[in-house]
Amino acid sequence: MLNLFSVFDPYMGYLFLNWFSLMLYLLLFPQIYWFYNSRFFNLIKLILVGLWMEFKLIIYSKFNLMNLLLLISLFMFILYNNFMGLFPYIFTSSSHLMFSLFLSLSMWMGMMFFGWLKKTEHMFIHLVPMGTPFVLMFFMVLIESLSNLIRPLTLSIRLVANMIAGHLLLTLLSSFIPSVLIMYVMFLLVQLLLLALEMAVSVIQSYVFVVLMILYLKETN
């Protein structure tokens, strides 16, 4: 079991260079060096425009729309790091709790400071949902406070657990190599399907992380 989880350990050997995978996305991000845009750049541009329109519908009339630049950058950063982990011999930084907890906790603390300092009455209103009976109001304050406090933890664990689960499944299947050719081909096809599923999970988890952050941001204003 220790050998299986060793791929998620950033400190292996004598060179602590695994965290440099956080900067590898700079090599893949398309640059405008040419007169005509490449197809990859047009694809990224199409994705960014789609994200802008999608997030704008969620955050509309609730907050400054320029915050969408930060949220879209956060989406692309998590997405690139999720994809980096699908390549061989590259450390999956998004599968480490230090990575996800740093992002979720820092943004959550910023939103809490802003909400309680600038919109104190609005934050108190959120502790008691509309239509709550008077008898349950005191319990609802405790429940809402607890759910608000565990938000950064749930955000980070959701991302880490999904990244670890898929990688562990691929590692377990790759360690079992059957001697029969037909079984080998079947295991190879299953691994390819799981790899495609992991690519979909990388996109979905990045989207879910940012959408939940937008919803938490709307509650502060």
Side-chain angles (χ1 to χ4, degrees):
M1 293 300 293
L2 291 177
N3 291 331
L4 287 176
F5 284 94
S6 63
V7 294
F8 305 107
D9 185 12
Y11 304 108
M12 297 175 62
Y14 297 99
L15 296 175
F16 304 146
L17 299 178
N18 278 335
W19 284 114
F20 278 94
S21 62
L22 286 170
M23 307 305 296
L24 286 178
Y25 76 96
L26 295 175
L27 301 177
L28 297 178
F29 203 82
Q31 304 293 329
I32 308 177
Y33 289 146
W34 297 273
F35 187 74
Y36 294 105
N37 294 331
S38 63
R39 294 177 182 176
F40 182 55
F41 179 83
N42 289 330
L43 176 63
I44 296 297
K45 184 179 178 181
L46 185 64
I47 294 174
L48 293 178
V49 172
L51 288 173
W52 176 272
M53 299 305 296
E54 182 74 20
F55 294 161
K56 186 179 179 181
L57 293 175
I58 303 174
I59 205 172
Y60 181 69
S61 73
K62 289 293 183 181
F63 210 77
N64 187 3
L65 292 179
M66 297 309 293
N67 287 295
L68 290 180
L69 295 176
L70 173 63
L71 294 167
I72 291 174
S73 302
L74 178 64
F75 172 85
M76 297 301 295
F77 180 66
I78 298 175
L79 180 64
Y80 270 110
N81 282 282
N82 289 346
F83 273 129
M84 282 291 102
L86 299 177
F87 290 95
Y89 303 107
I90 296 181
F91 173 65
T92 312
S93 55
S94 57
S95 67
H96 203 278
L97 196 61
M98 187 184 298
F99 172 88
S100 57
L101 191 60
F102 173 77
L103 292 177
S104 59
L105 188 60
S106 59
M107 296 194 70
W108 177 81
M109 288 183 65
M111 288 186 285
M112 287 298 101
F113 278 123
F114 173 80
W116 286 106
L117 292 177
K118 298 292 185 180
K119 305 286 182 178
T120 308
E121 183 179 353
H122 185 80
M123 295 296 289
F124 275 118
I125 291 173
H126 268 290
L127 296 179
V128 182
M130 185 180 297
T132 304
F134 179 77
V135 181
L136 299 177
M137 282 185 179
F138 304 100
F139 297 102
M140 289 304 298
V141 170
L142 294 176
I143 293 172
E144 290 293 326
S145 301
L146 181 61
S147 65
N148 200 1
L149 289 174
I150 65 173
R151 278 176 178 177
L153 190 61
T154 55
L155 269 178
S156 56
I157 290 178
R158 181 186 293 109
L159 179 61
V160 169
N162 281 279
M163 290 296 106
I164 288 180
H167 285 66
L168 276 181
L169 192 57
L170 288 172
T171 305
L172 285 171
L173 285 177
S174 62
S175 62
F176 181 72
I177 302 176
S179 57
V180 184
L181 180 60
I182 299 177
M183 292 291 293
Y184 181 80
V185 173
M186 290 179 61
F187 269 85
L188 182 61
L189 291 176
V190 170
Q191 278 194 316
L192 291 176
L193 290 176
L194 284 175
L195 187 60
L197 180 63
E198 274 293 289
M199 294 176 67
V201 168
S202 300
V203 179
I204 292 170
Q205 289 306 312
S206 306
Y207 181 79
V208 168
F209 190 95
V210 178
V211 166
L212 288 176
M213 197 64 71
I214 292 175
L215 295 178
Y216 298 158
L217 185 62
K218 287 178 65 176
E219 291 187 4
T220 61
N221 189 8

